[in-house]
């Protein structure tokens, strides 16, 4: 069994992907070719924003967004304590200080009340200027943007949506437009970013990323920044930028993958998540999806009562040939790389606890019900052997 079965997906889409790659090679149009523009148009349309600017990867996408806003030295940027390292790394790379915010123990996304608290702490301290919030759509579920926007708005902060894992997720829009009354991940931030790393909900066959915004000025600036700060042309350079573009071959791979994603993959991943939910509810802590929210199920992450049980279950699954992953083993504030900014890091107890208790199970659009039954059977057997037949869900929360 694969954790995320990219070979099965390739088997399903092989003809289109192969012919796309062959076309780019025979056109010899490897950088900024026709497929890149086509993909940007389709992505912007799907997400429901005016502009999509593709780039080299999801980490560059975050850094480019912060560069476009001029975030840097002396600025505080609020980042969830429970996320992939890049969400905070980009902040440090532009010279700003990441301030880590605790998360909700069931949705795994940033806890708005702790955000408010951490902003207050920075203001009281007075050394840094609060500038932005990086809101992460962790494991596929959009963050709570209604509350985040309210808090950010009250303090004049920009919202940067890190949707590296969230592409395809959505929130019911209450009838104000969007995709069938829903707003898509990638449209919630003042600027939003995503990643096409192969294992993400929409992945390519290497590195890739994209930035979304409704703001014309920022979109133009991002387009300049990703190509060496270009002015009127590539050899007229008006600012210090980066070299961060999506290869044409990756765009050609993403075009048929985006079609499959829209046609059935997102639905199939949801169905798989529902199946896990039915089989595991009451046995372990299952991920909670907010009212009106839809996840793209980048991960299906359960909770056990503690590290011993989590590690024991992971070992048992491995014995049965079932892959699982711990996202994440360490809260951001405990990463050695952020050691120098520890002076602002009051505790994030929920994030810390989750690092000991979470386990992500195999999930992807091509997983079969039989494979999922095998995973759940192994979990139930492990629970039984440990004498927890009654289940862990209460103990786990
Ligand atoms: C994967 C990921 C990134 C970085 O994307 P890359 O394309 O690997 O650079 C950033 N943030 C989050 C939350 C991610 O999961």
């Amino acid at each position: 069994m694969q954790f995320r079965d990219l070979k099965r997906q390739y088997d399903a889409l092989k003809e289109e992907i192969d012919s796309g790659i062959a076309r780019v090679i025979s056109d010899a149009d490897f950088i900024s070719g026709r497929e890149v523009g086509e993909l940007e148009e389709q992505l912007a349309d799907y997400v429901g924003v005016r502009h999509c600017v593709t780039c080299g990867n999801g980490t560059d996408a975050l850094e480019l967004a912060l560069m476009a806003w001029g975030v840097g030295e002396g600025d505080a940027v609020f980042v969830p304590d429970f996320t992939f390292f890049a969400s905070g790394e980009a902040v440090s790379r532009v010279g700003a200080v990441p301030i880590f915010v605790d998360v909700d123990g069931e949705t795994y996304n940033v806890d708005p009340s702790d955000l408010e608290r951490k902003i207050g702490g920075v203001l009281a301290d007075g050394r840094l200027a609060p500038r932005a919030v990086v809101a992460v759509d962790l494991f596929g579920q959009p963050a709570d943007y209604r509350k985040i926007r309210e808090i950010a708005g009250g303090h004049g902060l920009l919202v940067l949506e890190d949707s590296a894992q969230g592409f395809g997720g959505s929130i019911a829009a209450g009838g104000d437009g969007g995709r069938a009354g829903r707003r898509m991940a990638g449209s919630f931030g003042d600027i939003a970013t995503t990643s096409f790393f192969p294992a993400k909900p929409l992945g390519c066959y290497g590195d890739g990323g994209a930035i979304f915004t409704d703001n014309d000025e920022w979109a133009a600036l991002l387009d300049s920044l990703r190509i060496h700060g270009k002015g009127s042309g590539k050899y007229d350079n008006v600012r210090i930028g980066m070299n961060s573009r999506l290869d044409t071959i990756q765009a050609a791979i993403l075009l048929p993958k985006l079609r499959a994603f829209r046609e059935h993959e997102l639905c199939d991943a949801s169905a798989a998540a529902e199946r896990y939910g039915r089989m595991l509810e009451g046995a372990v802590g299952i991920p909670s999806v907010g009212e009106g929210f839809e996840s793209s199920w980048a991960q299906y992450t359960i909770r056990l009562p503690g590290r011993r049980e989590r590690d024991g279950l992971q070992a048992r699954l491995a014995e049965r040939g079932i892959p699982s992953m711990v996202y994440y083993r360490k809260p951001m504030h405990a990463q050695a790389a952020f050691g120098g900014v520890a002076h602002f890091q009051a505790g994030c107890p929920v994030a810390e606890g989750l690092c000991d208790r979470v386990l992500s199970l195999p999930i992807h659009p091509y997983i079969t019900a039989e494979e999922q039954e095998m995973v759940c059977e192994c979990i139930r057997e492990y629970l039984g052997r440990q004498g927890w037949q009654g289940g862990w869900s209460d103990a786990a929360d």
Side-chain angles (χ1 to χ4, degrees):
M1 196 182 308
Q2 300 287 312
F3 188 68
R4 193 164 186 93
D5 202 329
L6 296 174
K7 284 193 200 124
R8 258 182 228 171
Q9 184 195 42
Y10 176 61
D11 287 343
L13 303 173
K14 181 171 170 25
E15 233 166 89
E16 278 177 282
I17 289 175
D18 287 356
S19 71
I21 293 172
R23 190 178 60 241
V24 175
I25 294 172
S26 73
D27 289 353
D29 198 1
F30 300 109
I31 303 288
S32 308
R34 184 171 54 79
E35 285 82 354
V36 175
E38 220 173 282
L39 178 71
E40 287 177 339
E41 245 172 66
Q42 290 190 21
L43 288 169
D45 171 67
Y46 178 70
V47 167
V49 294
R50 286 167 62 84
H51 304 283
C52 170
V53 178
T54 55
C55 62
N57 56 70
T59 308
D60 284 359
L62 290 167
E63 190 175 341
L64 286 162
L66 294 167
M67 286 169 78
W69 286 339
V71 171
E73 219 156 295
D75 293 335
V77 177
F78 300 86
V79 179
D81 199 38
F82 190 64
T83 178
F84 178 59
F85 182 64
S87 310
E89 182 183 30
V91 173
S92 293
R93 281 192 53 85
V94 299
V97 177
I99 306 293
F100 299 114
V101 180
D102 213 352
V103 297
D104 180 276
E106 290 187 16
T107 66
Y108 312 124
N109 276 328
V110 77
D111 172 3
S113 62
D114 196 53
L115 173 62
E116 184 81 69
R117 233 179 344 262
K118 296 284 159 71
I119 295 171
V122 169
L123 289 172
D125 176 85
R127 276 178 290 178
L128 296 171
R131 283 293 306 281
V133 182
V134 176
V136 179
D137 301 335
L138 201 74
F139 302 152
Q141 179 170 202
D144 187 349
Y145 288 98
R146 197 181 53 76
K147 289 192 188 143
I148 291 167
R149 284 230 151 263
E150 213 174 274
I151 295 166
H155 294 282
L157 307 185
L158 291 158
V159 176
L160 175 53
E161 176 185 0
D162 178 353
S163 204
Q165 302 179 16
F167 189 83
S170 61
I171 306 178
D176 69 345
R179 184 159 306 281
R182 305 193 67 79
R183 274 190 64 178
M184 303 302 291
S187 72
F188 299 113
D190 294 302
I191 296 181
T193 63
T194 196
S195 163
F196 304 125
F197 182 82
K200 307 282 174 167
L202 178 66
C204 62
Y205 288 169
D207 279 311
I211 312 168
F212 300 95
T213 185
D214 274 325
N215 184 302
D216 300 345
E217 219 171 289
W218 291 339
L221 197 49
L222 289 163
D223 180 46
S224 163
L225 286 167
R226 72 172 161 168
I227 308 175
H228 303 291
K230 74 178 166 110
S232 57
K234 194 167 143 190
Y235 301 105
D236 170 38
N237 307 93
V238 297
R239 58 181 62 85
I240 300 300
M242 290 171 73
N243 175 22
S244 186
R245 293 165 298 210
L246 183 74
D247 291 345
T248 312
I249 283 184
Q250 299 301 345
I253 291 163
L254 283 164
L255 283 166
K257 281 200 170 207
L258 176 59
R259 189 188 48 70
F261 185 84
R262 299 174 75 148
E263 283 179 5
H264 69 90
E265 285 186 353
L266 189 58
C267 279
D268 294 346
S270 277
E274 261 172 54
R275 242 180 269 138
Y276 269 143
R278 278 195 303 274
M279 291 191 278
L280 293 174
E281 186 154 32
V284 295
I286 61 171
S288 140
V289 177
E291 180 76 36
F293 284 62
E294 270 179 28
S295 175
S296 59
W297 299 106
Q299 305 295 342
Y300 192 90
T301 304
I302 61 170
R303 300 179 299 281
L304 289 311
R307 180 179 284 251
R308 195 173 56 81
E309 294 83 355
R310 191 268 311 276
D311 291 347
L313 175 59
Q314 184 171 39
R316 182 67 192 130
L317 287 165
E319 280 168 23
R320 297 270 302 265
I322 299 168
S324 64
M325 303 288 280
V326 176
Y327 297 125
Y328 296 92
R329 248 176 223 287
K330 239 188 213 191
M332 296 283 273
H333 76 263
Q335 293 286 3
F338 294 124
V341 297
H343 54 285
F344 276 115
Q345 317 310 343
C348 292
V350 178
E352 238 165 81
L354 285 174
C355 290
D356 284 339
R357 297 169 46 210
V358 288
L359 189 65
S360 299
L361 304 177
I363 191 165
H364 55 85
Y366 301 86
I367 197 168
T368 64
E370 292 71 39
E371 286 173 314
Q372 291 188 272
E373 273 157 25
M374 197 179 136
V375 174
C376 296
E377 200 271 312
C378 181
I379 293 173
R380 278 191 299 264
E381 178 236 24
Y382 182 74
L383 297 181
R385 272 217 288 175
Q386 303 295 317
W388 277 294
Q389 287 94 336
W392 276 344
S393 61
D394 291 336
D397 299 301

